[in-house]
């Protein structure tokens, strides 16, 4: 394989959010499956309704010009509280659920990845100078923002999307009450 030079990423801003702790923690490992699912659903309902701020460094404010014309944006961010040891994981049970088969990290949305760059599509509520207000963003307070992009279905929408059964199960469970 060709040697690839190291990359350097610099944050362009920071997340200001009411979310101060991760959705799942080690002290929840003794919960039953039903209790775990109930907590995850409650957490997702809370996140979906919340509004947080993406504070973009003032030197980059001009780069936001025109973003308010979009209903949704993509936010790339770094989960800064991930234990560096977790970045060595190769396989996980999705969402820590032992009832689901272990999957390779790249087949999951786990933040525990070799390069924990996460991406979320979120509704843009407002832009106030260098601050973007967004709804339903799951990033924790203090997460560094790597990039912001407009969401455009012509570039990002795919036809005939398919997912494994375990992912479809997660989506069904999150949508049910």
């Amino acid at each position: 394989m060709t040697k690839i030079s190291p990359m350097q990423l610099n944050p362009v801003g920071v997340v200001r959010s009411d979310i101060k702790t991760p959705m799942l923690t080690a002290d929840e490992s003794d919960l039953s499956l039903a209790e775990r699912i109930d907590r995850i659903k409650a957490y997702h309902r809370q996140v979906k309704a919340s509004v947080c701020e993406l504070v973009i460094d003032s030197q980059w404010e001009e780069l936001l010009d025109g973003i308010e014309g979009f209903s949704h944006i993509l936010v790339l961010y770094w989960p800064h509280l991930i234990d560096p040891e977790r970045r060595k994981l190769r396989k996980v049970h999705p969402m820590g659920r032992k009832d689901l088969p272990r999957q390779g990290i790249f087949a999951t949305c786990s933040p525990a990845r070799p390069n924990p760059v996460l991406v979320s599509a979120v509704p843009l509520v407002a832009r106030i100078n260098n601050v973007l207000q967004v709804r339903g963003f799951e990033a924790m307070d203090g997460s560094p923002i790597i990039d912001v992009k407009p969401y455009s279905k012509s570039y990002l929408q795919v036809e005939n999307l398919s997912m494994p059964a375990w992912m479809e199960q997660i989506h069904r469970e999150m949508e049910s009450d």
Side-chain angles (χ1 to χ4, degrees), residues 24 36 40 91-104 107-110 166-167 170:
L24 298 172
R36 185 179 269 283
I40 291 169
K91 290 190 171 195
V92 295
H93 290 281
M95 300 181 86
R97 290 182 43 183
K98 303 273 193 256
D99 64 309
L100 299 175
R102 284 172 43 97
Q103 302 294 321
T108 73
C109 297
S110 171
W166 61 266
M167 182 65 86
I170 288 172

Side-chain angles (χ1 to χ4, degrees), residues 93-128:
H93 290 281
M95 300 181 86
R97 290 182 43 183
K98 303 273 193 256
D99 64 309
L100 299 175
R102 284 172 43 97
Q103 302 294 321
I105 287 292
F106 289 160
T108 73
C109 297
S110 171
R113 347 181 48 78
N115 289 309
V117 176
L118 303 182
V119 62
S120 290
V122 292
L124 178 60
V125 175
R127 173 190 173 193
I128 303 166

Side-chain angles (χ1 to χ4, degrees), residues 3-162:
K3 184 175 185 208
I4 300 172
S5 299
M7 301 180 326
Q8 179 177 345
L9 294 174
N10 296 305
V12 298
V14 67
V15 175
R16 291 293 168 230
S17 168
D18 290 337
I19 302 172
K20 309 293 185 203
T21 58
M23 173 179 60
L24 298 172
T25 58
D27 63 343
E28 295 178 350
S29 60
D30 62 339
L31 294 178
S32 72
L33 177 59
E35 290 170 322
R36 185 179 269 283
I37 291 172
D38 285 346
R39 282 200 187 181
I40 291 169
K41 287 168 71 170
Y43 175 85
H44 280 283
R45 280 193 300 271
Q46 177 187 359
V47 168
K48 201 173 189 180
S50 70
V51 173
C52 72
E53 294 183 335
L54 310 179
V55 181
I56 305 301
D57 191 293
S58 60
Q59 71 174 322
W60 305 119
E61 182 177 345
E62 183 179 13
L63 277 63
L64 294 172
D65 288 352
I67 198 78
E68 57 277 351
F70 292 86
S71 66
H72 290 71
I73 59 174
L74 294 173
V75 184
L76 287 83
Y77 61 103
W78 192 270
H80 66 296
L81 297 180
I82 290 290
D83 180 346
E85 281 302 306
R86 293 197 61 214
R87 292 175 59 185
K88 296 176 184 174
L89 291 174
R90 303 285 184 182
K91 290 190 171 195
V92 295
H93 290 281
M95 300 181 86
R97 290 182 43 183
K98 303 273 193 256
D99 64 309
L100 299 175
R102 284 172 43 97
Q103 302 294 321
I105 287 292
F106 289 160
T108 73
C109 297
S110 171
R113 347 181 48 78
N115 289 309
V117 176
L118 303 182
V119 62
S120 290
V122 292
L124 178 60
V125 175
R127 173 190 173 193
I128 303 166
N129 301 318
N130 65 318
V131 177
L132 301 176
Q133 294 177 338
V134 298
R135 179 174 287 108
F137 189 40
E138 192 174 358
M140 294 182 36
D141 187 61
S143 294
I145 299 167
I146 298 169
D147 200 359
V148 175
K149 298 176 184 288
Y151 182 91
S152 171
K153 70 179 184 179
S154 63
Y155 290 116
L156 301 169
Q157 187 172 345
V158 297
E159 294 183 25
N160 304 316
L161 177 68
S162 66

